[in-house]
Amino acid sequence: MKILYLIIILCLSHTSHAQTNQNQFTKYASLTAGRSTHGTGDMKGISQKITYGKYFRKKLVWSISVGASIHDGSFRNSTTQSDGTVLDHSFRYTAGGIQTSVGLGYSFIKTKRNELGLKIDGILRYQSSSYFDQLFIVFDPQTTGIPYPATYIINTSPQKTYAVGVSPELFYNYSIGKSLFLGATANFQADTNGDVLTNLSLSVGKRFN
């Protein structure tokens, strides 16, 4: 988040009083990708999306996006053999999803080079997850009959889910040349499946009529 603020401040300092050339363009398309966390942060991963937007007022824009994310983590567990060999018995889990969203945004600042605003998206998400609900590890060779930890998993949540959600997003764009721009976004999203995702991303896009 500090890096995002620094980028915004540095770029705003160059053209804080400039008149906008962005206003001649009413549409844009962009590709966004970056780091992402799932839940309380125990699962880390990446997210990306493709966005099409259209300004219907000078500072108001609606947009539609299609994106995906994947996160993974592990419950660490290992044993050391008599010869010093370390065996990894970790339980590994992954959550991946695709989603589409429709949003409405407002630009607080919109000059020749800089655009800073806030957008609210409504989300429809499909997700598949191997995350467990309960996990028990027992290391008792006399009981289990094996010289390694035994893992017992209880799943009460479905593997595949559909959910609707909402995502507030802070965005900043810096124009390069006539129609290209680079950007940075910070957002989080929550849905009816109880999932919370946090994203810090960079974007590249093009404006057109």
Side-chain angles (χ1 to χ4, degrees), residues 1 3 6 17 20 24 38 44 79 95 105 132 137 168 173 187 194:
M1 184 66 73
I3 295 176
L6 181 60
H17 301 291
T20 179
Q24 63 181 304
H38 191 291
K44 293 179 171 57
T79 60
F132 56 87
I137 297 176
N173 296 319
N187 76 290

Side-chain angles (χ1 to χ4, degrees), residues 8-178:
I8 293 173
I9 292 172
L10 288 175
C11 293
L12 285 176
S13 65
H14 291 295
T15 55
S16 59
H17 301 291
Q19 296 297 316
T20 179
N21 285 341
Q22 299 180 38
N23 295 333
Q24 63 181 304
F25 301 110
T26 60
K27 305 172 185 177
Y28 74 90
S30 66
L31 173 64
T32 304
R35 297 179 58 185
S36 180
T37 59
H38 191 291
T40 59
D42 55 332
M43 285 196 289
K44 293 179 171 57
I46 58 174
S47 64
Q48 63 82 29
K49 65 179 179 179
I50 299 173
T51 302
Y52 167 82
K54 180 177 175 60
Y55 286 87
F56 58 94
R57 293 287 188 275
K58 179 180 178 181
K59 293 186 175 183
L60 289 173
V61 61
W62 68 264
S63 64
I64 183 169
S65 303
V66 177
S69 64
I70 185 166
H71 303 82
D72 59 69
S74 64
F75 192 92
R76 304 292 298 175
N77 187 30
S78 63
T79 60
T80 302
Q81 305 303 296
S82 58
D83 61 357
T85 302
V86 177
L87 299 180
D88 185 359
H89 308 288
S90 301
F91 179 77
R92 300 168 180 172
Y93 45 86
T94 301
I98 57 174
Q99 62 186 48
T100 183
S101 61
V102 177
L104 181 66
Y106 176 76
S107 300
F108 303 106
I109 299 174
K110 192 176 182 187
T111 67
K112 181 179 180 180
R113 296 292 183 189
N114 302 284
E115 182 179 19
L116 175 66
L118 180 67
K119 186 158 67 79
I120 304 294
D121 285 342
I123 297 168
L124 176 62
R125 179 176 175 84
Y126 165 79
Q127 180 173 277
S128 177
S129 173
S130 62
Y131 193 79
F132 56 87
D133 291 288
Q134 297 183 58
L135 183 145
F136 305 94
I137 297 176
V138 177
F139 186 30
D140 187 354
Q142 292 183 347
T143 301
T144 62
I146 56 175
Y148 310 114
T151 301
Y152 299 89
I153 302 167
I154 298 176
N155 293 314
T156 57
S157 301
Q159 177 186 3
K160 301 176 182 179
T161 56
Y162 294 90
V164 294
V166 63
S167 174
E169 176 182 286
L170 178 67
F171 66 88
Y172 170 74
N173 296 319
Y174 181 76
S175 297
I176 299 176
K178 184 177 180 180

